[in-house]
Amino acid sequence: MSVTIKDIAKAAGVSRGTVDRVLHNRAGVSPDAVKRVREIADAMGFVPNRAGKILAARKQPLKFGCLLPDVGNPFFLDVISGFRKAEAELADYGVSVDICHVRGFDSAAHKKMLEKMASAGYSGICCATVDLPEIQLAIHSLIEEGIPVIAVNTDIPDSGRLCYVGPDYFNAGLTSAAMVALTAEKDLHILVVTGSFHIRGHNDRIRGFFRGLSDHKASYSVIQTIESSDDDEKAYEMTKQILRENEEINCIFIAAAGVEGVCRAVQELGKNSVTIAAFDETEETVKYLKAGLIDFTISQEPELQGYTAVTTLFSYLMSGGIKKPEDFITGTIIKVPENLGR
Amino acid sequence: MSVTIKDIAKAAGVSRGTVDRVLHNRAGVSPDAVKRVREIADAMGFVPNRAGKILAARKQPLKFGCLLPDVGNPFFLDVISGFRKAEAELADYGVSVDICHVRGFDSAAHKKMLEKMASAGYSGICCATVDLPEIQLAIHSLIEEGIPVIAVNTDIPDSGRLCYVGPDYFNAGLTSAAMVALTAEKDLHILVVTGSFHIRGHNDRIRGFFRGLSDHKASYSVIQTIESSDDDEKAYEMTKQILRENEEINCIFIAAAGVEGVCRAVQELGKNSVTIAAFDETEETVKYLKAGLIDFTISQEPELQGYTAVTTLFSYLMSGGIKKPEDFITGTIIKVPENLGR
DNA sequence: TTGAAAGCGATACCAC
DNA sequence: GTGGTATCGCTTTCAA
């Protein structure tokens, strides 16, 4: 059996209350007692018992807030189900999770939501937001108010966030290139469709992709790079036009949403031999994978992201915020029709 | 806040002790009280609080036993690290895990170990063993003694085991075929190297593979099927000879261990254009993936298997063994050099 | 057949 | 500054 507060109290010749005060760096203990308790606790290798903590903590239940740019973006449904799974698992421990929805990636809207969340009484916050200076500042002030923040899906390194939980976008691009190199013709003429030139994840995927092609000594040329703004209609129109004007295109790299639009254009033009590289396991990518238009997609364990973010926040608070948790990088998952959904 | 035993006791006009007795189907309660408590508990939607249970349960700590055929088989190292991870996470809750090592798949040795484990005082057992009648019986008697058993990595359907935690071997074969179809030439001349003709997982992978090739309308012929007994030396000798005698072989499907031997033979003969399909992310497959001899391997989340088996057993016991947990099928994970280790 | 009470480990709060 | 004590939800034991 492991060491308890009671053991320490006895060994130090003080009461459990005093030990608790020392362990939580609370004022009102004589320097002498502080020193003795600290030493004994260290010597005995004290680790607080989670079950006991949790039970005692039920008097002040924990509420977490999760910010998501998910209105109109089905990808985040899986992240949400991860949040909910964690909430269900931690319900006994007095944890509840609020989801705060925002449409798109408008930084003003995100900032406003973060400010609103600051005064909602959350014990911790998970957010998938944009890495821009005003957001970094908003997160900074949350942290100064003592609310820990975890960056989910998109990192915000200079914000003081506790840690990052999400994919390695560069590696996903790299892996996509490996799959293209295995699959496709040697002479690639590529159309790149990105979501936004300003979102780092998209850029990292593209960088990774071309690095990967180089690593594989593939000969390739980029015919054009377009921005879909995650809008299928726009992606459709632009793709169709560009494919008409550039017969030689034999590979389309879709760094973000817009899959439906691109695929529709390809299908209508009957260009079935074009290799399409996509990301994530959404309704659209699944549809076109099954249809055989897309050969593979690279996914990123979205549900695990949501789940891990919440449980990490909980563990952090339960351990008294001693040490910052490590970043959690989710897998680079290759999906072909055969292993969809598993 | 949720319903507690105290709430029920008050509502039913009995003591907490009586409620507890009813909830655990213990004798010594008047039929009248039983009925009332049951009804009220149901009506109020009582769900026992894990933290409370765990804390009270510390007086009788839980010990789990895990049977593994891992002596000489590096694949199981990852499964073990999953067991250890779960143990560390549940240490606060009084859980400890013993690993019982067995060499190979000799059913007599497995049976003996299971019998030994029966009298070691375990509250639950996880086992990766062989699906043979004598083992089924041994597991049956464990269960009759009230020790729940979870099958890890290899299912033993007719044993009364609580559930199965492991991969879908057939799907792994199917997915392997899809990768070969993407990668390789159209006219396949295949050498199949299996571990044992008697292990279902290996057979399922092979079945899945050929089903997948058919689905992809690949034209193929099987030149030969050999049994490596997970022995690299044997695999090396046989592969070398067969490759010499059958120049046309352009694809080797390795359903189990023996990767090192096969690859060495291929390398020595300079047959670098042969497509090799392998399984798992072991030291050997990683080595030959990086060397470019293997294009891809299909992995199965071994660590997650170990982790899930133990946590599932724990949850089951903590919930009072109310309902059998669901099977947990781990992912069919495609690994290329780029996404190794993530 | 039942109730009351003593824990499990950590925390909060009220006395002194 | 400090000790004592009630509490979180559940289990177990001892009396009655």
Side-chain angles (χ1 to χ4, degrees):
Chain A
M1 271 310 101
S2 41
V3 186
T4 72
I5 285 200
K6 214 157 89 180
D7 299 331
I8 299 176
K10 199 172 358 161
V14 296
S15 75
R16 294 147 66 180
T18 300
V19 175
D20 190 63
R21 275 178 281 257
V22 173
L23 261 26
H24 290 82
N25 302 310
R26 267 193 282 273
V29 184
S30 70
D32 187 48
V34 171
K35 185 158 168 283
R36 209 164 23 160
V37 169
R38 280 262 161 69
E39 282 173 1
I40 292 178
D42 282 355
M44 298 177 88
F46 172 74
V47 180
N49 179 288
R50 282 183 99 198
K53 268 193 124 99
I54 287 165
L55 204 47
R58 274 194 63 114
K59 298 166 192 173
Q60 284 95 39
L62 296 174
K63 197 171 64 167
F64 296 147
C66 300
L67 170 64
L68 287 180
D70 70 315
V71 181
N73 190 337
F75 166 79
F76 288 100
L77 289 175
D78 288 335
V79 181
I80 291 179
S81 87
F83 287 144
R84 293 296 174 211
K85 188 177 156 198
E87 181 183 40
E89 205 164 284
L90 300 176
D92 276 352
Y93 308 155
V95 171
S96 65
V97 172
D98 281 1
I99 313 267
C100 307
H101 309 267
V102 176
R103 168 175 290 279
F105 292 94
D106 173 51
S107 82
H110 280 234
K111 181 161 176 268
K112 208 162 138 191
M113 182 58 92
L114 282 171
E115 282 160 359
K116 198 169 141 195
M117 290 168 82
S119 49
Y122 293 123
S123 314
I125 286 175
C126 303
C127 59
T129 178
V130 286
D131 185 13
L132 288 173
E134 58 265 39
I135 300 294
Q136 294 167 10
L137 278 176
I139 293 179
H140 253 303
S141 32
L142 281 168
I143 289 161
E144 263 158 37
E145 290 173 52
I147 306 175
V149 177
I150 288 186
V152 187
N153 192 261
T154 300
D155 197 7
I156 312 180
D158 299 322
S159 62
R161 89 284 184 281
L162 204 54
C163 68
Y164 166 60
V165 175
D168 178 340
Y169 289 96
F170 183 84
N171 185 259
L174 212 57
T175 302
S176 179
M179 288 295 289
V180 167
L182 279 181
T183 309
E185 313 170 30
K186 287 298 137 215
D187 220 8
L188 295 168
H189 300 280
I190 306 172
L191 165 62
V192 175
V193 182
T194 187
S196 159
F197 292 136
H198 301 297
I199 294 188
R200 197 177 19 191
H202 301 180
N203 294 337
D204 286 349
R205 280 178 178 160
I206 295 172
R207 278 195 311 117
F209 183 69
F210 288 113
R211 165 69 68 81
L213 289 184
S214 302
D215 288 352
H216 278 269
K217 304 192 186 356
S219 82
Y220 67 86
S221 61
V222 179
I223 305 301
Q224 202 163 334
T225 299
I226 61 176
E227 201 176 16
S228 76
S229 310
D230 287 8
D231 175 340
D232 279 311
E233 230 18 73
K234 193 173 161 193
Y236 168 73
E237 295 294 348
M238 294 177 82
T239 304
K240 198 158 183 179
Q241 190 187 336
I242 294 169
L243 282 181
R244 277 210 188 102
E245 290 167 1
N246 302 272
E247 280 288 336
E248 75 275 29
I249 290 176
N250 57 9
C251 174
I252 305 180
F253 180 80
I254 313 174
V259 171
E260 165 76 34
V262 170
C263 288
R264 197 147 37 90
V266 170
Q267 224 165 15
E268 284 184 13
L269 293 175
K271 308 210 84 174
N272 294 324
S273 66
V274 170
T275 298
I276 303 178
F279 289 91
D280 299 329
E281 191 174 343
T282 62
E283 213 174 299
E284 290 91 42
T285 52
V286 167
K287 173 180 159 191
Y288 287 105
L289 259 176
K290 286 186 177 161
L293 205 67
I294 305 183
D295 285 328
F296 68 90
T297 181
I298 309 289
S299 183
Q300 52 168 306
E301 308 188 287
E303 182 173 336
L304 186 60
Q305 291 174 29
Y307 177 81
T308 304
V310 170
T311 52
T312 302
L313 211 40
F314 176 70
S315 298
Y316 174 74
L317 291 170
M318 272 300 127
S319 70
I322 313 285
K323 61 162 195 270
K324 280 181 73 151
E326 308 243 305
D327 288 351
F328 184 93
I329 309 302
T330 50
T332 301
I333 309 292
I334 302 169
K335 290 285 177 180
V336 294
E338 280 73 8
N339 72 341
L340 278 176
R342 17 195 102 220
Chain B
M1 272 307 101
S2 42
V3 185
T4 72
I5 285 199
K6 213 157 90 180
D7 299 332
I8 299 175
K10 201 174 355 162
V14 296
S15 74
R16 293 147 67 180
T18 300
V19 174
D20 189 66
R21 276 178 278 254
V22 173
L23 261 26
H24 291 83
N25 303 310
R26 269 194 280 273
V29 185
S30 71
D32 188 48
V34 171
K35 184 159 170 282
R36 209 155 24 132
V37 169
R38 280 261 160 69
E39 282 175 0
I40 291 177
D42 282 355
M44 298 176 89
F46 172 75
V47 181
N49 179 288
R50 283 182 98 197
K53 267 193 121 101
I54 287 164
L55 206 46
R58 274 194 61 116
K59 298 166 193 172
Q60 284 96 41
L62 296 174
K63 197 171 65 166
F64 297 147
C66 300
L67 170 64
L68 287 180
D70 71 315
V71 181
N73 189 338
F75 166 80
F76 287 100
L77 289 176
D78 288 334
V79 180
I80 291 179
S81 88
F83 287 145
R84 292 298 174 211
K85 189 176 155 200
E87 182 183 39
E89 205 164 284
L90 301 177
D92 277 353
Y93 307 156
V95 171
S96 65
V97 171
D98 281 1
I99 313 265
C100 307
H101 308 266
V102 175
R103 168 174 290 279
F105 291 94
D106 173 52
S107 82
H110 281 234
K111 180 161 177 267
K112 207 162 142 193
M113 182 57 93
L114 282 171
E115 281 160 1
K116 197 169 144 196
M117 291 169 80
S119 49
Y122 294 122
S123 315
I125 286 176
C126 304
C127 60
T129 179
V130 285
D131 185 14
L132 288 173
E134 58 267 39
I135 300 295
Q136 294 168 8
L137 278 176
I139 293 179
H140 253 304
S141 33
L142 281 168
I143 289 162
E144 262 158 37
E145 289 174 52
I147 306 175
V149 176
I150 288 185
V152 187
N153 192 263
T154 299
D155 197 7
I156 312 179
D158 298 323
S159 62
R161 90 284 187 280
L162 206 52
C163 67
Y164 166 61
V165 174
D168 178 340
Y169 289 96
F170 183 83
N171 185 258
L174 212 57
T175 303
S176 179
M179 290 295 290
V180 167
L182 279 180
T183 309
E185 312 170 31
K186 289 296 139 218
D187 221 9
L188 295 168
H189 301 281
I190 307 172
L191 166 62
V192 175
V193 181
T194 188
S196 160
F197 292 137
H198 301 296
I199 293 188
R200 198 181 17 196
H202 301 179
N203 295 336
D204 286 348
R205 280 177 177 160
I206 295 172
R207 278 197 310 116
F209 183 69
F210 288 112
R211 166 70 67 82
L213 289 184
S214 302
D215 289 352
H216 279 269
K217 303 191 187 357
S219 83
Y220 66 86
S221 60
V222 179
I223 305 301
Q224 202 163 335
T225 298
I226 60 176
E227 202 176 16
S228 77
S229 310
D230 287 8
D231 175 341
D232 279 311
E233 231 20 71
K234 192 173 162 195
Y236 168 75
E237 297 295 349
M238 294 178 82
T239 304
K240 198 157 183 181
Q241 190 188 335
I242 293 169
L243 282 181
R244 276 209 188 102
E245 291 168 1
N246 302 270
E247 280 289 335
E248 74 275 30
I249 290 176
N250 56 9
C251 175
I252 304 180
F253 180 80
I254 314 173
V259 171
E260 165 76 33
V262 170
C263 288
R264 198 149 34 91
V266 170
Q267 225 165 15
E268 285 183 13
L269 293 176
K271 308 210 85 176
N272 295 323
S273 66
V274 170
T275 299
I276 302 178
F279 290 90
D280 299 330
E281 190 173 345
T282 63
E283 214 176 300
E284 291 91 43
T285 53
V286 167
K287 172 179 160 195
Y288 287 105
L289 257 177
K290 286 186 177 160
L293 205 68
I294 305 184
D295 286 327
F296 68 90
T297 181
I298 308 289
S299 183
Q300 51 168 304
E301 308 189 287
E303 181 173 337
L304 186 59
Q305 291 174 28
Y307 178 81
T308 304
V310 171
T311 53
T312 302
L313 211 40
F314 177 69
S315 297
Y316 174 74
L317 291 170
M318 271 301 129
S319 70
I322 313 285
K323 61 162 194 267
K324 280 181 74 148
E326 307 242 306
D327 288 351
F328 184 92
I329 309 302
T330 51
T332 300
I333 309 293
I334 302 169
K335 290 285 178 182
V336 294
E338 281 72 9
N339 72 341
L340 278 176
R342 16 195 104 223

